[in-house]
Amino acid sequence: EPEVTQTPSHQVTQMGQEVILRCVPISNHLYFYWYRQILGQKVEFLVSFYNNEISEKSEIFDDQFSVERPDGSNFTLKIRSTKLEDSAMYFCASSSPSLYGYTFGSGTRLTVV
Amino acid sequence: AQSVSQHNHHVILSEAASLELGCNYSYGGTVNLFWYVQYPGQHLQLLLKYFSGDPLVKGIKGFEAEFIKSKFSFNLRKPSVQWSDTAEYFCAVRGYNNNDMRFGAGTRLTVKP
């Protein structure tokens, strides 16, 4: 069964550093998403991406965040200057077409120290 | 934007007990509804989804959910739980005309052997 792959599984970074979280969506999917889950809290939508541009974003997705699809397979989330409160599990998901349930990756646990 | 509320934060059951987890949503239009499960240390997995048609939806592992439009509800049920059902369960809703899916806060289910 096709999977969404995320790397790394765990990243530790110092406050103020930039991090890039990587995702390889399912190959024939057209819609891509990032969600995050702070420990003990609910899963929060960050951003959706379609046709090489952001289609929706939440209030969480401020100027420190950006997404990119640098080639035909990867979908990245960049956090420019990490803060302690960015520590969370970040999930990538993809879907096609957008009416169907998403397929989620295993997540990247980001720890900002 | 749509929102989701899950009534129970933590449910503890014995094996073979019946399960019902509540989910209510608010959204002014047509919705797609989902239940996801997150086993300890694992990523989100789709249990079942509702788009249209029969409001009683059957999913994997013996779970089912019923969409009651008049009550804006999509409760998850299982007649007889097993220890392996111990997990976090998330209800999610997506408005028909947008791409971002919103999750409830989650319900932690603990099944005692």
Side-chain angles (χ1 to χ4, degrees):
Chain A
E1 188 173 330
E3 289 186 343
V4 174
T5 306
Q6 288 187 245
T7 54
S9 57
H10 188 192
Q11 174 133 15
V12 181
T13 189
Q14 288 198 326
M15 191 169 54
Q17 294 296 304
E18 174 183 287
V19 294
I20 297 176
L21 309 183
R22 301 181 192 281
C23 170
V24 179
I26 292 173
S27 61
N28 62 349
H29 283 185
L30 302 177
Y31 298 83
F32 314 109
Y33 313 87
W34 283 101
Y35 286 79
R36 79 173 184 190
Q37 185 181 26
I38 296 172
L39 185 64
Q41 299 185 27
K42 67 178 181 181
V43 180
E44 300 172 295
F45 168 76
L46 291 178
V47 65
S48 61
F49 191 87
Y50 170 71
N51 201 25
N52 287 319
E53 60 183 21
I54 290 173
S55 51
E56 307 269 357
K57 63 180 181 178
S58 72
E59 57 276 8
I60 302 169
F61 195 87
D62 60 22
D63 292 344
Q64 72 165 279
F65 292 94
S66 62
V67 289
E68 196 176 31
R69 189 158 162 80
D71 52 41
S73 59
N74 290 285
F75 179 52
T76 61
L77 174 69
K78 182 191 290 185
I79 309 175
R80 258 177 278 280
S81 177
T82 51
K83 299 178 282 198
L84 294 177
E85 53 266 36
D86 294 327
S87 294
M89 182 74 90
Y90 288 81
F91 290 101
C92 174
S94 67
S95 71
S96 182
S98 67
L99 294 179
Y100 297 95
Y102 303 177
T103 301
F104 282 85
S106 299
T108 293
R109 184 178 300 280
L110 176 66
T111 303
V112 182
V113 297
Chain B
Q2 61 274 29
S3 66
V4 185
S5 63
Q6 292 183 240
H7 314 303
N8 310 102
H9 180 63
H10 191 188
V11 172
I12 302 173
L13 295 173
S14 297
E15 275 195 312
S18 65
L19 170 72
E20 180 159 3
L21 302 182
C23 172
N24 284 91
Y25 69 92
S26 69
Y27 184 72
T30 303
V31 293
N32 302 140
L33 296 157
F34 308 84
W35 274 98
Y36 283 84
V37 60
Q38 188 176 28
Y39 297 103
Q42 296 188 29
H43 61 93
L44 294 164
Q45 297 176 43
L46 181 66
L47 266 182
L48 48 77
K49 58 185 182 286
Y50 171 80
F51 296 121
S52 63
D54 189 343
L56 184 62
V57 179
K58 295 194 183 298
I60 60 171
K61 306 185 181 186
F63 286 91
E64 65 179 31
E66 185 174 12
F67 170 52
I68 303 179
K69 189 175 181 180
S70 60
K71 296 184 178 179
F72 297 90
S73 70
F74 190 56
N75 292 354
L76 181 71
R77 299 195 293 248
K78 185 171 183 178
S80 176
V81 294
Q82 302 171 308
W83 177 78
S84 57
D85 293 325
T86 294
E88 188 104 18
Y89 292 82
F90 294 93
C91 182
V93 62
R94 181 174 58 201
Y96 189 79
N97 291 323
N98 63 44
N99 286 320
D100 65 322
M101 188 156 65
R102 300 299 169 112
F103 286 80
T107 298
R108 180 171 302 167
L109 172 65
T110 301
V111 180
K112 297 185 293 185

PDB file of all heavy atoms in Angstrom, chain A residues 76-111:
ATOM      1  N   THR A  76       8.257  20.064   1.355  1.00  0.00           N
ATOM      2  CA  THR A  76       8.978  20.414   2.574  1.00  0.00           C
ATOM      3  C   THR A  76       8.278  21.513   3.359  1.00  0.00           C
ATOM      4  O   THR A  76       7.590  22.360   2.793  1.00  0.00           O
ATOM      5  CB  THR A  76      10.410  20.884   2.255  1.00  0.00           C
ATOM      6  OG1 THR A  76      10.339  22.050   1.422  1.00  0.00           O
ATOM      7  CG2 THR A  76      11.203  19.806   1.539  1.00  0.00           C
ATOM      8  N   LEU A  77       8.494  21.467   4.662  1.00  0.00           N
ATOM      9  CA  LEU A  77       8.048  22.522   5.566  1.00  0.00           C
ATOM     10  C   LEU A  77       9.287  23.123   6.203  1.00  0.00           C
ATOM     11  O   LEU A  77      10.082  22.412   6.816  1.00  0.00           O
ATOM     12  CB  LEU A  77       7.129  21.969   6.647  1.00  0.00           C
ATOM     13  CG  LEU A  77       6.695  22.945   7.739  1.00  0.00           C
ATOM     14  CD1 LEU A  77       5.743  24.000   7.174  1.00  0.00           C
ATOM     15  CD2 LEU A  77       6.013  22.213   8.899  1.00  0.00           C
ATOM     16  N   LYS A  78       9.453  24.423   6.035  1.00  0.00           N
ATOM     17  CA  LYS A  78      10.599  25.112   6.627  1.00  0.00           C
ATOM     18  C   LYS A  78      10.103  25.998   7.755  1.00  0.00           C
ATOM     19  O   LYS A  78       9.126  26.741   7.601  1.00  0.00           O
ATOM     20  CB  LYS A  78      11.323  25.952   5.579  1.00  0.00           C
ATOM     21  CG  LYS A  78      12.557  26.673   6.119  1.00  0.00           C
ATOM     22  CD  LYS A  78      13.118  27.700   5.152  1.00  0.00           C
ATOM     23  CE  LYS A  78      13.747  27.079   3.952  1.00  0.00           C
ATOM     24  NZ  LYS A  78      14.399  28.093   3.064  1.00  0.00           N
ATOM     25  N   ILE A  79      10.810  25.911   8.868  1.00  0.00           N
ATOM     26  CA  ILE A  79      10.545  26.822   9.985  1.00  0.00           C
ATOM     27  C   ILE A  79      11.807  27.661  10.127  1.00  0.00           C
ATOM     28  O   ILE A  79      12.887  27.137  10.429  1.00  0.00           O
ATOM     29  CB  ILE A  79      10.232  26.075  11.291  1.00  0.00           C
ATOM     30  CG1 ILE A  79       9.136  25.042  11.059  1.00  0.00           C
ATOM     31  CG2 ILE A  79       9.800  27.074  12.367  1.00  0.00           C
ATOM     32  CD1 ILE A  79       8.838  24.169  12.276  1.00  0.00           C
ATOM     33  N   ARG A  80      11.673  28.953   9.902  1.00  0.00           N
ATOM     34  CA  ARG A  80      12.852  29.808   9.740  1.00  0.00           C
ATOM     35  C   ARG A  80      13.625  30.030  11.037  1.00  0.00           C
ATOM     36  O   ARG A  80      14.817  29.904  11.067  1.00  0.00           O
ATOM     37  CB  ARG A  80      12.461  31.167   9.157  1.00  0.00           C
ATOM     38  CG  ARG A  80      12.771  31.302   7.694  1.00  0.00           C
ATOM     39  CD  ARG A  80      12.307  32.634   7.152  1.00  0.00           C
ATOM     40  NE  ARG A  80      10.889  32.633   6.830  1.00  0.00           N
ATOM     41  CZ  ARG A  80      10.385  32.118   5.705  1.00  0.00           C
ATOM     42  NH1 ARG A  80      11.163  31.553   4.824  1.00  0.00           N
ATOM     43  NH2 ARG A  80       9.084  32.160   5.468  1.00  0.00           N
ATOM     44  N   SER A  81      12.974  30.351  12.079  1.00  0.00           N
ATOM     45  CA  SER A  81      13.644  30.646  13.341  1.00  0.00           C
ATOM     46  C   SER A  81      12.835  29.984  14.443  1.00  0.00           C
ATOM     47  O   SER A  81      11.838  30.534  14.914  1.00  0.00           O
ATOM     48  CB  SER A  81      13.726  32.161  13.551  1.00  0.00           C
ATOM     49  OG  SER A  81      14.309  32.463  14.806  1.00  0.00           O
ATOM     50  N   THR A  82      13.236  28.785  14.796  1.00  0.00           N
ATOM     51  CA  THR A  82      12.397  27.969  15.682  1.00  0.00           C
ATOM     52  C   THR A  82      12.292  28.554  17.076  1.00  0.00           C
ATOM     53  O   THR A  82      13.233  29.169  17.605  1.00  0.00           O
ATOM     54  CB  THR A  82      12.949  26.539  15.772  1.00  0.00           C
ATOM     55  OG1 THR A  82      14.350  26.602  16.093  1.00  0.00           O
ATOM     56  CG2 THR A  82      12.751  25.804  14.463  1.00  0.00           C
ATOM     57  N   LYS A  83      11.119  28.339  17.657  1.00  0.00           N
ATOM     58  CA  LYS A  83      10.850  28.748  19.029  1.00  0.00           C
ATOM     59  C   LYS A  83      10.526  27.507  19.846  1.00  0.00           C
ATOM     60  O   LYS A  83      10.185  26.457  19.291  1.00  0.00           O
ATOM     61  CB  LYS A  83       9.658  29.710  19.053  1.00  0.00           C
ATOM     62  CG  LYS A  83       9.894  30.982  18.263  1.00  0.00           C
ATOM     63  CD  LYS A  83       8.672  31.884  18.276  1.00  0.00           C
ATOM     64  CE  LYS A  83       7.651  31.371  17.301  1.00  0.00           C
ATOM     65  NZ  LYS A  83       6.646  32.391  16.931  1.00  0.00           N
ATOM     66  N   LEU A  84      10.621  27.637  21.150  1.00  0.00           N
ATOM     67  CA  LEU A  84      10.343  26.490  22.013  1.00  0.00           C
ATOM     68  C   LEU A  84       8.949  25.928  21.746  1.00  0.00           C
ATOM     69  O   LEU A  84       8.745  24.706  21.742  1.00  0.00           O
ATOM     70  CB  LEU A  84      10.475  26.886  23.492  1.00  0.00           C
ATOM     71  CG  LEU A  84      11.863  27.265  23.968  1.00  0.00           C
ATOM     72  CD1 LEU A  84      11.814  27.714  25.435  1.00  0.00           C
ATOM     73  CD2 LEU A  84      12.843  26.101  23.815  1.00  0.00           C
ATOM     74  N   GLU A  85       8.005  26.813  21.495  1.00  0.00           N
ATOM     75  CA  GLU A  85       6.630  26.369  21.300  1.00  0.00           C
ATOM     76  C   GLU A  85       6.383  25.704  19.949  1.00  0.00           C
ATOM     77  O   GLU A  85       5.273  25.246  19.666  1.00  0.00           O
ATOM     78  CB  GLU A  85       5.650  27.538  21.500  1.00  0.00           C
ATOM     79  CG  GLU A  85       5.947  28.762  20.670  1.00  0.00           C
ATOM     80  CD  GLU A  85       6.791  29.790  21.410  1.00  0.00           C
ATOM     81  OE1 GLU A  85       7.684  29.400  22.200  1.00  0.00           O
ATOM     82  OE2 GLU A  85       6.549  30.988  21.191  1.00  0.00           O
ATOM     83  N   ASP A  86       7.408  25.654  19.101  1.00  0.00           N
ATOM     84  CA  ASP A  86       7.288  24.910  17.856  1.00  0.00           C
ATOM     85  C   ASP A  86       7.512  23.417  18.066  1.00  0.00           C
ATOM     86  O   ASP A  86       7.321  22.620  17.142  1.00  0.00           O
ATOM     87  CB  ASP A  86       8.296  25.421  16.821  1.00  0.00           C
ATOM     88  CG  ASP A  86       8.016  26.840  16.379  1.00  0.00           C
ATOM     89  OD1 ASP A  86       6.818  27.224  16.328  1.00  0.00           O
ATOM     90  OD2 ASP A  86       8.978  27.581  16.103  1.00  0.00           O
ATOM     91  N   SER A  87       7.928  23.045  19.259  1.00  0.00           N
ATOM     92  CA  SER A  87       8.119  21.618  19.560  1.00  0.00           C
ATOM     93  C   SER A  87       6.788  20.901  19.410  1.00  0.00           C
ATOM     94  O   SER A  87       5.800  21.253  20.063  1.00  0.00           O
ATOM     95  CB  SER A  87       8.653  21.437  20.979  1.00  0.00           C
ATOM     96  OG  SER A  87       9.948  21.970  21.097  1.00  0.00           O
ATOM     97  N   ALA A  88       6.757  19.909  18.552  1.00  0.00           N
ATOM     98  CA  ALA A  88       5.511  19.205  18.245  1.00  0.00           C
ATOM     99  C   ALA A  88       5.825  18.054  17.308  1.00  0.00           C
ATOM    100  O   ALA A  88       6.934  17.905  16.813  1.00  0.00           O
ATOM    101  CB  ALA A  88       4.500  20.134  17.579  1.00  0.00           C
ATOM    102  N   MET A  89       4.796  17.263  17.061  1.00  0.00           N
ATOM    103  CA  MET A  89       4.871  16.261  15.999  1.00  0.00           C
ATOM    104  C   MET A  89       4.274  16.901  14.762  1.00  0.00           C
ATOM    105  O   MET A  89       3.162  17.426  14.809  1.00  0.00           O
ATOM    106  CB  MET A  89       4.082  15.016  16.402  1.00  0.00           C
ATOM    107  CG  MET A  89       4.138  13.908  15.374  1.00  0.00           C
ATOM    108  SD  MET A  89       5.730  13.078  15.364  1.00  0.00           S
ATOM    109  CE  MET A  89       5.427  11.802  16.555  1.00  0.00           C
ATOM    110  N   TYR A  90       5.006  16.872  13.676  1.00  0.00           N
ATOM    111  CA  TYR A  90       4.541  17.452  12.427  1.00  0.00           C
ATOM    112  C   TYR A  90       4.185  16.324  11.455  1.00  0.00           C
ATOM    113  O   TYR A  90       5.011  15.456  11.163  1.00  0.00           O
ATOM    114  CB  TYR A  90       5.610  18.367  11.823  1.00  0.00           C
ATOM    115  CG  TYR A  90       5.767  19.652  12.595  1.00  0.00           C
ATOM    116  CD1 TYR A  90       6.524  19.691  13.769  1.00  0.00           C
ATOM    117  CD2 TYR A  90       5.135  20.823  12.192  1.00  0.00           C
ATOM    118  CE1 TYR A  90       6.645  20.853  14.507  1.00  0.00           C
ATOM    119  CE2 TYR A  90       5.259  22.000  12.921  1.00  0.00           C
ATOM    120  CZ  TYR A  90       6.003  22.002  14.080  1.00  0.00           C
ATOM    121  OH  TYR A  90       6.112  23.167  14.813  1.00  0.00           O
ATOM    122  N   PHE A  91       2.949  16.367  10.995  1.00  0.00           N
ATOM    123  CA  PHE A  91       2.471  15.335  10.071  1.00  0.00           C
ATOM    124  C   PHE A  91       2.284  15.923   8.680  1.00  0.00           C
ATOM    125  O   PHE A  91       1.679  16.981   8.515  1.00  0.00           O
ATOM    126  CB  PHE A  91       1.125  14.781  10.533  1.00  0.00           C
ATOM    127  CG  PHE A  91       1.186  13.959  11.779  1.00  0.00           C
ATOM    128  CD1 PHE A  91       0.811  14.507  13.007  1.00  0.00           C
ATOM    129  CD2 PHE A  91       1.597  12.634  11.744  1.00  0.00           C
ATOM    130  CE1 PHE A  91       0.857  13.753  14.165  1.00  0.00           C
ATOM    131  CE2 PHE A  91       1.645  11.877  12.900  1.00  0.00           C
ATOM    132  CZ  PHE A  91       1.278  12.431  14.105  1.00  0.00           C
ATOM    133  N   CYS A  92       2.778  15.193   7.717  1.00  0.00           N
ATOM    134  CA  CYS A  92       2.510  15.489   6.321  1.00  0.00           C
ATOM    135  C   CYS A  92       1.387  14.563   5.856  1.00  0.00           C
ATOM    136  O   CYS A  92       1.258  13.430   6.351  1.00  0.00           O
ATOM    137  CB  CYS A  92       3.775  15.231   5.511  1.00  0.00           C
ATOM    138  SG  CYS A  92       3.589  15.392   3.734  1.00  0.00           S
ATOM    139  N   ALA A  93       0.563  15.034   4.950  1.00  0.00           N
ATOM    140  CA  ALA A  93      -0.487  14.197   4.382  1.00  0.00           C
ATOM    141  C   ALA A  93      -0.662  14.554   2.915  1.00  0.00           C
ATOM    142  O   ALA A  93      -0.301  15.649   2.476  1.00  0.00           O
ATOM    143  CB  ALA A  93      -1.802  14.396   5.134  1.00  0.00           C
ATOM    144  N   SER A  94      -1.208  13.602   2.170  1.00  0.00           N
ATOM    145  CA  SER A  94      -1.521  13.890   0.776  1.00  0.00           C
ATOM    146  C   SER A  94      -2.845  13.244   0.432  1.00  0.00           C
ATOM    147  O   SER A  94      -3.290  12.298   1.111  1.00  0.00           O
ATOM    148  CB  SER A  94      -0.400  13.407  -0.152  1.00  0.00           C
ATOM    149  OG  SER A  94      -0.307  11.993  -0.170  1.00  0.00           O
ATOM    150  N   SER A  95      -3.460  13.728  -0.616  1.00  0.00           N
ATOM    151  CA  SER A  95      -4.724  13.153  -1.060  1.00  0.00           C
ATOM    152  C   SER A  95      -4.914  13.460  -2.534  1.00  0.00           C
ATOM    153  O   SER A  95      -4.324  14.377  -3.080  1.00  0.00           O
ATOM    154  CB  SER A  95      -5.901  13.720  -0.265  1.00  0.00           C
ATOM    155  OG  SER A  95      -6.146  15.067  -0.599  1.00  0.00           O
ATOM    156  N   SER A  96      -5.746  12.658  -3.155  1.00  0.00           N
ATOM    157  CA  SER A  96      -6.124  12.914  -4.538  1.00  0.00           C
ATOM    158  C   SER A  96      -7.327  12.080  -4.911  1.00  0.00           C
ATOM    159  O   SER A  96      -7.279  10.857  -4.780  1.00  0.00           O
ATOM    160  CB  SER A  96      -4.991  12.611  -5.495  1.00  0.00           C
ATOM    161  OG  SER A  96      -5.359  12.916  -6.817  1.00  0.00           O
ATOM    162  N   PRO A  97      -8.410  12.627  -5.425  1.00  0.00           N
ATOM    163  CA  PRO A  97      -8.646  14.063  -5.390  1.00  0.00           C
ATOM    164  C   PRO A  97      -8.971  14.510  -3.972  1.00  0.00           C
ATOM    165  O   PRO A  97      -9.051  13.689  -3.081  1.00  0.00           O
ATOM    166  CB  PRO A  97      -9.841  14.233  -6.324  1.00  0.00           C
ATOM    167  CG  PRO A  97     -10.579  12.942  -6.210  1.00  0.00           C
ATOM    168  CD  PRO A  97      -9.550  11.881  -6.006  1.00  0.00           C
ATOM    169  N   SER A  98      -9.210  15.775  -3.786  1.00  0.00           N
ATOM    170  CA  SER A  98      -9.299  16.315  -2.432  1.00  0.00           C
ATOM    171  C   SER A  98     -10.527  15.841  -1.676  1.00  0.00           C
ATOM    172  O   SER A  98     -10.652  16.077  -0.499  1.00  0.00           O
ATOM    173  CB  SER A  98      -9.286  17.838  -2.463  1.00  0.00           C
ATOM    174  OG  SER A  98     -10.467  18.311  -3.084  1.00  0.00           O
ATOM    175  N   LEU A  99     -11.428  15.149  -2.340  1.00  0.00           N
ATOM    176  CA  LEU A  99     -12.636  14.710  -1.656  1.00  0.00           C
ATOM    177  C   LEU A  99     -12.414  13.481  -0.788  1.00  0.00           C
ATOM    178  O   LEU A  99     -13.252  13.130   0.007  1.00  0.00           O
ATOM    179  CB  LEU A  99     -13.741  14.404  -2.662  1.00  0.00           C
ATOM    180  CG  LEU A  99     -14.267  15.606  -3.455  1.00  0.00           C
ATOM    181  CD1 LEU A  99     -15.343  15.144  -4.419  1.00  0.00           C
ATOM    182  CD2 LEU A  99     -14.818  16.663  -2.520  1.00  0.00           C
ATOM    183  N   TYR A 100     -11.312  12.818  -0.902  1.00  0.00           N
ATOM    184  CA  TYR A 100     -11.099  11.579  -0.189  1.00  0.00           C
ATOM    185  C   TYR A 100     -10.243  11.778   1.047  1.00  0.00           C
ATOM    186  O   TYR A 100      -9.569  12.768   1.202  1.00  0.00           O
ATOM    187  CB  TYR A 100     -10.461  10.536  -1.109  1.00  0.00           C
ATOM    188  CG  TYR A 100     -11.369  10.185  -2.252  1.00  0.00           C
ATOM    189  CD1 TYR A 100     -11.251  10.809  -3.482  1.00  0.00           C
ATOM    190  CD2 TYR A 100     -12.382   9.258  -2.088  1.00  0.00           C
ATOM    191  CE1 TYR A 100     -12.109  10.513  -4.523  1.00  0.00           C
ATOM    192  CE2 TYR A 100     -13.239   8.958  -3.123  1.00  0.00           C
ATOM    193  CZ  TYR A 100     -13.096   9.587  -4.332  1.00  0.00           C
ATOM    194  OH  TYR A 100     -13.951   9.287  -5.353  1.00  0.00           O
ATOM    195  N   GLY A 101     -10.302  10.803   1.946  1.00  0.00           N
ATOM    196  CA  GLY A 101      -9.520  10.887   3.168  1.00  0.00           C
ATOM    197  C   GLY A 101      -8.043  10.985   2.863  1.00  0.00           C
ATOM    198  O   GLY A 101      -7.551  10.466   1.888  1.00  0.00           O
ATOM    199  N   TYR A 102      -7.355  11.691   3.736  1.00  0.00           N
ATOM    200  CA  TYR A 102      -5.941  11.891   3.536  1.00  0.00           C
ATOM    201  C   TYR A 102      -5.176  10.640   3.934  1.00  0.00           C
ATOM    202  O   TYR A 102      -5.601   9.866   4.775  1.00  0.00           O
ATOM    203  CB  TYR A 102      -5.434  13.032   4.403  1.00  0.00           C
ATOM    204  CG  TYR A 102      -6.100  14.370   4.215  1.00  0.00           C
ATOM    205  CD1 TYR A 102      -5.726  15.447   5.032  1.00  0.00           C
ATOM    206  CD2 TYR A 102      -7.070  14.606   3.269  1.00  0.00           C
ATOM    207  CE1 TYR A 102      -6.308  16.686   4.900  1.00  0.00           C
ATOM    208  CE2 TYR A 102      -7.664  15.842   3.138  1.00  0.00           C
ATOM    209  CZ  TYR A 102      -7.281  16.881   3.954  1.00  0.00           C
ATOM    210  OH  TYR A 102      -7.860  18.115   3.834  1.00  0.00           O
ATOM    211  N   THR A 103      -3.971  10.512   3.393  1.00  0.00           N
ATOM    212  CA  THR A 103      -3.008   9.538   3.882  1.00  0.00           C
ATOM    213  C   THR A 103      -1.930  10.306   4.624  1.00  0.00           C
ATOM    214  O   THR A 103      -1.321  11.218   4.056  1.00  0.00           O
ATOM    215  CB  THR A 103      -2.385   8.731   2.735  1.00  0.00           C
ATOM    216  OG1 THR A 103      -3.425   8.050   2.027  1.00  0.00           O
ATOM    217  CG2 THR A 103      -1.394   7.708   3.274  1.00  0.00           C
ATOM    218  N   PHE A 104      -1.738   9.954   5.876  1.00  0.00           N
ATOM    219  CA  PHE A 104      -0.761  10.660   6.707  1.00  0.00           C
ATOM    220  C   PHE A 104       0.559   9.918   6.765  1.00  0.00           C
ATOM    221  O   PHE A 104       0.603   8.679   6.745  1.00  0.00           O
ATOM    222  CB  PHE A 104      -1.302  10.803   8.135  1.00  0.00           C
ATOM    223  CG  PHE A 104      -2.311  11.897   8.302  1.00  0.00           C
ATOM    224  CD1 PHE A 104      -3.650  11.668   8.030  1.00  0.00           C
ATOM    225  CD2 PHE A 104      -1.927  13.168   8.721  1.00  0.00           C
ATOM    226  CE1 PHE A 104      -4.597  12.678   8.184  1.00  0.00           C
ATOM    227  CE2 PHE A 104      -2.859  14.184   8.865  1.00  0.00           C
ATOM    228  CZ  PHE A 104      -4.191  13.935   8.602  1.00  0.00           C
ATOM    229  N   GLY A 105       1.628  10.684   6.879  1.00  0.00           N
ATOM    230  CA  GLY A 105       2.939  10.112   7.157  1.00  0.00           C
ATOM    231  C   GLY A 105       3.065   9.790   8.638  1.00  0.00           C
ATOM    232  O   GLY A 105       2.162  10.058   9.434  1.00  0.00           O
ATOM    233  N   SER A 106       4.192   9.207   8.997  1.00  0.00           N
ATOM    234  CA  SER A 106       4.425   8.793  10.387  1.00  0.00           C
ATOM    235  C   SER A 106       4.794   9.953  11.292  1.00  0.00           C
ATOM    236  O   SER A 106       4.843   9.792  12.506  1.00  0.00           O
ATOM    237  CB  SER A 106       5.536   7.750  10.446  1.00  0.00           C
ATOM    238  OG  SER A 106       5.182   6.603   9.720  1.00  0.00           O
ATOM    239  N   GLY A 107       5.076  11.096  10.710  1.00  0.00           N
ATOM    240  CA  GLY A 107       5.353  12.280  11.511  1.00  0.00           C
ATOM    241  C   GLY A 107       6.831  12.496  11.774  1.00  0.00           C
ATOM    242  O   GLY A 107       7.628  11.555  11.762  1.00  0.00           O
ATOM    243  N   THR A 108       7.174  13.743  12.001  1.00  0.00           N
ATOM    244  CA  THR A 108       8.512  14.123  12.464  1.00  0.00           C
ATOM    245  C   THR A 108       8.336  14.799  13.811  1.00  0.00           C
ATOM    246  O   THR A 108       7.609  15.782  13.929  1.00  0.00           O
ATOM    247  CB  THR A 108       9.203  15.099  11.497  1.00  0.00           C
ATOM    248  OG1 THR A 108       9.479  14.446  10.262  1.00  0.00           O
ATOM    249  CG2 THR A 108      10.497  15.639  12.105  1.00  0.00           C
ATOM    250  N   ARG A 109       9.011  14.239  14.804  1.00  0.00           N
ATOM    251  CA  ARG A 109       8.955  14.872  16.124  1.00  0.00           C
ATOM    252  C   ARG A 109      10.029  15.942  16.191  1.00  0.00           C
ATOM    253  O   ARG A 109      11.220  15.629  16.099  1.00  0.00           O
ATOM    254  CB  ARG A 109       9.161  13.831  17.237  1.00  0.00           C
ATOM    255  CG  ARG A 109       9.023  14.427  18.639  1.00  0.00           C
ATOM    256  CD  ARG A 109       9.181  13.357  19.709  1.00  0.00           C
ATOM    257  NE  ARG A 109       8.191  12.300  19.588  1.00  0.00           N
ATOM    258  CZ  ARG A 109       6.941  12.372  20.013  1.00  0.00           C
ATOM    259  NH1 ARG A 109       6.523  13.484  20.621  1.00  0.00           N
ATOM    260  NH2 ARG A 109       6.113  11.367  19.861  1.00  0.00           N
ATOM    261  N   LEU A 110       9.608  17.171  16.316  1.00  0.00           N
ATOM    262  CA  LEU A 110      10.555  18.291  16.403  1.00  0.00           C
ATOM    263  C   LEU A 110      10.662  18.723  17.853  1.00  0.00           C
ATOM    264  O   LEU A 110       9.656  19.028  18.494  1.00  0.00           O
ATOM    265  CB  LEU A 110      10.086  19.469  15.542  1.00  0.00           C
ATOM    266  CG  LEU A 110      10.936  20.726  15.634  1.00  0.00           C
ATOM    267  CD1 LEU A 110      12.332  20.483  15.063  1.00  0.00           C
ATOM    268  CD2 LEU A 110      10.272  21.901  14.916  1.00  0.00           C
ATOM    269  N   THR A 111      11.876  18.745  18.341  1.00  0.00           N
ATOM    270  CA  THR A 111      12.140  19.209  19.700  1.00  0.00           C
ATOM    271  C   THR A 111      13.052  20.424  19.618  1.00  0.00           C
ATOM    272  O   THR A 111      14.161  20.334  19.084  1.00  0.00           O
ATOM    273  CB  THR A 111      12.808  18.113  20.551  1.00  0.00           C
ATOM    274  OG1 THR A 111      11.978  16.951  20.558  1.00  0.00           O
ATOM    275  CG2 THR A 111      13.020  18.602  21.978  1.00  0.00           C
TER     276      THR A 111
END
